[in-house]
Amino acid sequence: MILPWTDHPWEYSVITVPTRRRRALVLALAVLGTTSLAACTTTGTGADGKRPRSSAAAPADPASRPDLRRFYHQKLDWRPCGDHRCASLTVPMDYSRPGDGKTFVLPVAKAVTAVTGKRVGSLVLNPGGPGERGVRLIKDGVAEDIGRGVRERFDIVSFDPRGVGASKPALTCTTADSTESNESKESKESQESAESAESADGEEAAVVPLHPRTASERADALASARETAAGCRAASGPLLPHVGTDDAARDLDVLRAALGERRLTYVGWSYGTSLGTSYAEQFPRRVRAMVLDGAVDPSLDWRQRMLGQATGFRKAVAEYAETCADTVGDACPGTTPEEIRALIDRLLERTGREPLPVDDSAYGLDAAALISALSLSMYTPEAQWQALSEALVAADGGDGTRLAALGAGEEETQDPDAEASGEPAEADPSEGPAESGTDGVPEDNAEAALIAINCRDVPHPRDARAYWDALAPAEKAAGAYGTTGVTSELVCADLPAGPGRPHRVTAEGVPPVLVVGTAGDPATPYAEAVSLARQFPGGMLLSLDAPGHTGYGRSACVDRKVEAYLISLTKVRPGTTCTE
């Protein structure tokens, strides 16, 4: 789900990355929006574009199709890029017409870690999103945070999916004209911010409500969502039908072939589980080993996903209030859970009336941005709760700057080593120009990718009434997290959807898939991991009894079992639960 765009920055979201040095990889979207959309997927389809009902009905291996031969037989031209190697993979834009000359060129990066004599093959990673860049994941040193046994046997590989990052072409929801218009608008707002704090009759200007109740409030929310969707259609219209997860999974099979692998070894976090599931449905016999961490249940519709995640965030924030002292000690913004809950409620009520001041911001921190900061901070409690606690104390004192920074991920170091040395990070030619990509696409186009891919993947109602009807049940189930979740879905009402429908996994012939579920995961609720593991034939569930999003890379116990599976295909026994 995606919050409708308004005249101020809404909320932000983090994509989980499997590294113990985990930084907040932030997208300019709602935290609830990203987590809901990160949990979106489509139906699996065969190489002919139709969903196979069984393995007997599945089409022939696409690698043998004459019209796909040039893609499947390409060789990757690896070249040095910093400490790693980079290449480009060409895939058809439209798999139903691969000979029409239209393609995506996808950047690929790998850390060569396998030891001669021990090498099993390539391990392909997807860090989530959709919209997170795999090339950046490799350059950020993910291989260093993977166990030695895996590194010795696999080269670690990732890529920017179609439309994402340095993909050519890449998605954007902003045209040159709209950029100029927004810059002029922001300048005007900054100049008039003092005057606009009050209306002509002396009353305070209205803030955007978390629960639009009146016809006027709902019209504003709908108009804002439609404006965002219109920007995506204007800037990326020809790409929108071709960026769904099913097509990205086909690209993954082309990458497998280009890497010289007979079968795929794969780890996907969060949205990456959707990509993995789609691959397993389309190419079940091409899977060697597959780990799906922070799982997405493809049988849920948009409303079920939204409610599950909104409820997850509400529970996670409640858990923060209960266990803050155990995690961060004296830094907690209250001495008891009751005091912490009261402070959060007080801030929600206060920011609902008037935004808190934020340094260098004309608008400030409103209730939606507060929800964002709270929700984003639930991803990795061990790394984020102290900063959240300190920011809440500052906000209670009247300064929303630190909470706004948390919501935007600005307190996380993008390149700790470069910052420590005082030198800029080395540019990677595989990632495009420093300021922008080709054809005016911003260097970080995660916002546009998240919108386009998830609206393509998951069917949404076209009639706004369906969203308004969902508001009351969402509020009852998850409070402000629920109503924010509903309104964030509105943008998909005006963007193209694919043929996918909620469905149970069909992947006959796939080897045992390992699904990792974290009991306190707010973004991809644990129940979805349980369900997904049951849907895979021979599916295995590995549970982590802990708060936070995903498990591999956060738990030594999970790491050991995941890596034994990746290396030796060691099965995980039913009921296995990690507590460390």
Side-chain angles (χ1 to χ4, degrees):
M1 53 188 156
I2 302 168
L3 284 171
W5 260 244
T6 60
D7 294 339
H8 67 282
W10 266 89
E11 299 176 71
Y12 294 80
S13 168
V14 65
I15 300 302
T16 297
V17 176
T19 169
R20 296 178 182 86
R21 299 177 297 141
R22 199 176 292 210
R23 63 182 176 87
L25 295 177
V26 180
L27 308 184
L29 289 172
V31 82
L32 289 177
T34 301
T35 54
S36 175
L37 287 179
C40 295
T41 186
T42 67
T43 58
T45 57
D48 60 356
K50 297 180 180 179
R51 182 178 207 9
R53 294 184 180 273
S54 68
S55 59
D61 185 343
S64 65
R65 284 175 46 181
D67 55 354
L68 290 177
R69 186 172 295 129
R70 76 180 184 95
F71 300 103
Y72 269 91
H73 289 188
Q74 66 186 294
K75 301 296 183 182
L76 294 173
D77 181 17
W78 296 107
R79 62 193 185 283
C81 54
D83 295 330
H84 308 100
R85 295 182 184 179
C86 294
S88 295
L89 180 77
T90 302
V91 295
M93 183 172 290
D94 186 345
Y95 275 90
S96 68
R97 295 187 297 173
D100 66 1
K102 297 179 181 179
T103 62
F104 284 102
V105 179
L106 311 180
V108 183
K110 72 174 175 179
V112 180
T113 60
V115 175
T116 302
K118 292 187 176 182
R119 188 180 190 278
V120 173
S122 299
L123 170 61
V124 180
L125 311 178
N126 180 276
E132 184 50 39
R133 302 173 63 170
V135 168
R136 183 174 294 168
L137 178 70
I138 297 297
K139 288 185 65 63
D140 281 346
V142 66
E144 300 170 11
D145 298 298
I146 290 177
R148 178 179 175 181
V150 171
R151 294 199 310 271
E152 289 181 343
R153 290 165 175 81
F154 297 93
D155 294 325
I156 312 302
V157 178
S158 194
F159 68 107
D160 290 2
R162 56 173 54 211
V164 173
S167 160
K168 298 179 182 179
L171 290 158
T172 178
C173 289
T174 306
T175 62
D177 290 342
S178 64
T179 300
E180 182 178 349
S181 173
N182 287 338
E183 289 175 350
S184 299
K185 185 176 184 179
E186 290 172 3
S187 176
K188 181 179 179 181
E189 286 174 349
S190 179
Q191 295 171 6
E192 297 177 352
S193 60
E195 300 175 7
S196 63
E198 295 186 355
S199 62
D201 60 1
E203 296 180 355
E204 290 185 356
V207 296
V208 178
L210 296 179
H211 185 160
R213 300 177 187 275
T214 68
S216 176
E217 290 170 348
R218 292 180 177 183
D220 288 345
L222 184 58
S224 184
R226 285 175 171 170
E227 181 180 358
T228 300
C232 295
R233 292 196 306 269
S236 298
L239 302 185
L240 297 179
H242 304 295
V243 294
T245 298
D246 283 344
D247 283 333
R250 298 178 188 187
D251 299 342
L252 184 56
D253 196 54
V254 175
L255 175 61
R256 172 202 58 77
L259 290 169
E261 304 295 344
R262 188 173 67 86
R263 293 190 296 166
L264 177 70
T265 303
Y266 175 85
V267 175
W269 290 264
S270 198
Y271 162 79
T273 68
S274 293
L275 180 61
T277 296
S278 180
Y279 183 90
E281 290 191 300
Q282 295 184 77
F283 308 101
R285 290 177 173 79
R286 288 294 193 188
V287 175
R288 174 189 171 272
M290 179 170 285
V291 178
L292 306 178
D293 185 3
V296 174
D297 182 354
S299 71
L300 303 181
D301 64 22
W302 73 274
R303 187 164 165 171
Q304 291 170 319
R305 290 192 179 108
M306 177 274 300
L307 283 174
Q309 292 169 357
T311 302
F313 277 104
R314 186 183 196 179
K315 289 180 178 178
V317 174
E319 178 74 6
Y320 160 72
E322 289 291 332
T323 62
C324 178
D326 295 334
T327 305
V328 301
D330 293 341
C332 291
T335 58
T336 66
E338 291 75 19
E339 287 185 7
I340 297 173
R341 286 194 293 268
L343 183 151
I344 293 173
D345 290 343
R346 186 164 63 246
L347 286 176
L348 276 171
E349 191 276 333
R350 182 175 177 180
T351 54
R353 288 185 284 105
E354 181 180 6
L356 289 176
V358 172
D359 292 348
D360 301 321
S361 170
Y363 189 86
L365 181 90
D366 69 355
L370 173 59
I371 290 287
S372 172
L374 289 167
S375 301
L376 185 149
S377 299
M378 298 301 109
Y379 279 74
T380 50
E382 65 274 17
Q384 297 176 294
W385 278 8
Q386 178 155 341
L388 172 64
S389 298
E390 294 168 352
L392 286 171
V393 171
D396 199 35
D399 184 359
T401 303
R402 296 187 70 175
L403 276 176
L406 282 180
E410 293 171 359
E411 292 196 354
E412 295 288 342
T413 302
Q414 294 298 314
D415 188 336
D417 298 333
E419 183 173 280
S421 67
E423 298 178 359
E426 179 184 355
D428 178 0
S430 71
E431 294 194 1
E435 297 300 325
S436 64
T438 59
D439 301 324
V441 176
E443 181 190 11
D444 184 355
N445 72 333
E447 170 187 331
L450 188 74
I451 294 170
I453 295 170
N454 285 290
C455 292
R456 177 70 181 170
D457 279 359
V458 179
H460 278 72
R462 297 299 184 187
D463 187 346
R465 182 176 296 276
Y467 303 89
W468 310 144
D469 289 345
L471 282 169
E475 183 173 52
K476 182 178 181 180
Y481 303 91
T483 56
T484 301
V486 172
T487 55
S488 71
E489 300 279 358
L490 276 168
V491 69
C492 288
D494 274 40
L495 284 174
R501 294 292 182 271
H503 69 283
R504 293 185 63 82
V505 172
T506 301
E508 185 176 336
V510 72
V513 170
L514 177 58
V515 179
V516 181
T518 301
D521 193 326
T524 50
Y526 177 72
E528 296 194 34
V530 174
S531 176
L532 185 64
R534 289 173 177 168
Q535 291 176 48
F536 275 105
M540 303 175 292
L541 176 65
L542 172 60
S543 301
L544 172 62
D545 186 9
H549 183 41
T550 72
Y552 183 38
R554 295 181 58 229
S555 161
C557 170
V558 170
D559 292 356
R560 288 193 298 270
K561 296 185 182 302
V562 165
E563 293 177 359
Y565 166 72
L566 291 173
I567 294 168
S568 305
L569 303 180
T570 303
K571 292 185 177 181
V572 173
R573 294 180 179 177
T576 300
T577 299
C578 289
T579 58
E580 57 171 305

